[in-house]
Amino acid sequence: MAPTHTLGPLLKELFISRSSVARELGVSVQTIHNWCSRRVEVPPQQVSRLVTILQDRGAPSRSVAEFVQSELEAYGIDPSLLVENARVRGGLNADTVMIIT
């Protein structure tokens, strides 16, 4: 079974269609398919936009952080630069994912 921190299984887990992601990002469905199958790495400028989409659709912060870590590793960036932290704002938990480069 593929790790859930890659894009394909994450979209499937959240019931997000590849076509809806493609529309939101302004890319082709084939591009999303290639990213999901890891044939092509997600361009760094698209990772941030994908994080926003995933968070907006209710992805758990741990899953988003693992997705970003996976993308960092694919580009040879030290994943220890990823910091995950939960903060409390106004009594509600708000998850924050931060990438330090």
Side-chain angles (χ1 to χ4, degrees), residues 20-55:
S20 69
V21 173
R23 269 192 312 277
E24 288 187 55
L25 293 176
V27 298
S28 70
V29 175
Q30 184 62 46
T31 295
I32 301 300
H33 178 71
N34 288 336
W35 293 348
C36 289
S37 67
R38 305 290 293 201
R39 281 187 212 134
V40 177
E41 299 301 328
V42 178
Q45 66 272 19
Q46 295 287 26
V47 172
S48 175
R49 295 176 70 198
L50 276 168
V51 166
T52 300
I53 290 168
L54 294 170
Q55 289 176 329

Side-chain angles (χ1 to χ4, degrees), residues 82-95:
L82 177 68
V83 177
E84 183 182 4
N85 185 25
R87 289 206 236 152
V88 176
R89 293 185 195 145
L92 299 174
N93 284 333
D95 294 327

